[in-house]
Amino acid sequence: MLPSPSPHSLRIVLFGAGRVASQLGPALVSAGHQVVFVWNRSAPAATALAARLPGTQVLANLAAPLPPADVYLLAVPDAAVAPLLAGTTWPNGALVAHLAGALPLSVFDNQPTVRGGVFYPLQTFSPGREINWPAVPLCIEARDAAAEATLLALAGSLSQHVLRLDSAQRLKLHVAAVFANNFTNHVLGIADALLTEAGLPPALLAPLVCETVDKALANAPFSVQTGPAVRQDLPTLAAHEAALAAHPAWQALYAQLTASIQAQL
């Protein structure tokens, strides 16, 4: 469930119709805002998202003057932000915010008539997975105080965890998120594949994974590290590497992670 609708409804133009935008659009409407237009490079995707948002129209032509709005949100891939900024004629003084974790605020430097900002949701988005927006940290940065105030209010209508972060802090957070999310998921994928090869159900790992994550979140993770690397159990480490002979890339990763664990001892 979302926080109570904002008493100050904002008119929003949403650029993008992918994983983030398809979750963000309905959340904005539920929070009491108006998504007046949706744009996407794929017109059918924009049409499909607009159909889920009451009163929302599809923005078909970026060459024409943009419709008025309080905030223009760029929920597009990181690499698309700069070209979109450069290729669009923005209303003078428009508040335009991207949602990227690793892009600095300086991406707006070539757009002096735009009030640039960042509206970064620290979450992973996947089709079919509903997002609990009140629990999602929303990280805000802006070029001026008025833009920051608007983005903070917008963020506060969605989430109970709103932070002001500068570009350097946000980059460090994004790197940490890649380790915690993307790399963890990749390693779980390797574990899943190894169990499948052995004819074992991957669900066997579920209690172990849940306890590992719970314990790591409740403590300093390095302080609760377990396993053969911590024990300096050389015979087990050698046996594991030998068992990975058919997967040299995973074997090398095992050795690198073992070395990294031991470097923290």
Side-chain angles (χ1 to χ4, degrees), residues 19-214:
R19 294 183 180 185
V20 180
S22 64
Q23 296 261 12
L24 179 59
L28 291 168
V29 171
S30 294
H33 304 291
Q34 306 169 55
V35 178
V36 289
F37 281 91
V38 169
W39 175 88
N40 193 63
R41 184 175 58 181
S42 164
T47 300
L49 177 55
R52 296 168 52 205
L53 309 175
T56 301
Q57 301 179 57
V58 173
L59 183 61
N61 184 8
L62 293 185
L66 289 179
D70 298 302
V71 184
Y72 300 83
L73 291 178
L74 310 185
V76 298
D78 293 17
V81 170
L84 182 57
L85 286 172
T88 305
T89 302
W90 303 97
N92 189 40
L95 173 48
V96 184
H98 71 67
L99 277 66
L103 280 183
L105 192 62
S106 60
V107 73
F108 294 99
D109 285 353
N110 292 328
Q111 302 294 326
T113 64
V114 162
R115 298 159 59 221
V118 180
F119 190 85
Y120 169 51
L122 181 62
Q123 185 54 277
T124 178
F125 296 85
S126 300
R129 302 282 300 182
E130 290 298 319
I131 296 299
N132 179 23
W133 282 97
V136 175
L138 285 172
C139 307
I140 303 304
E141 186 179 12
R143 293 172 77 175
D144 64 81
E148 181 184 81
T150 299
L151 293 177
L152 286 172
L154 179 60
S157 71
L158 296 178
S159 172
Q160 297 169 1
H161 303 279
V162 179
L163 305 86
R164 294 181 180 90
L165 296 183
D166 63 30
S167 293
Q169 291 173 312
R170 184 164 33 84
L171 179 60
K172 285 288 183 68
L173 176 62
H174 194 257
V175 173
V178 168
F179 272 95
N181 174 38
N182 306 127
F183 291 172
T184 297
N185 188 73
H186 179 72
V187 171
L188 288 174
I190 293 173
D192 183 284
L194 290 171
L195 287 181
T196 300
E197 279 184 3
L200 297 170
L204 280 173
L205 291 177
L208 174 64
V209 171
C210 291
E211 172 61 15
T212 299
V213 173
D214 288 347

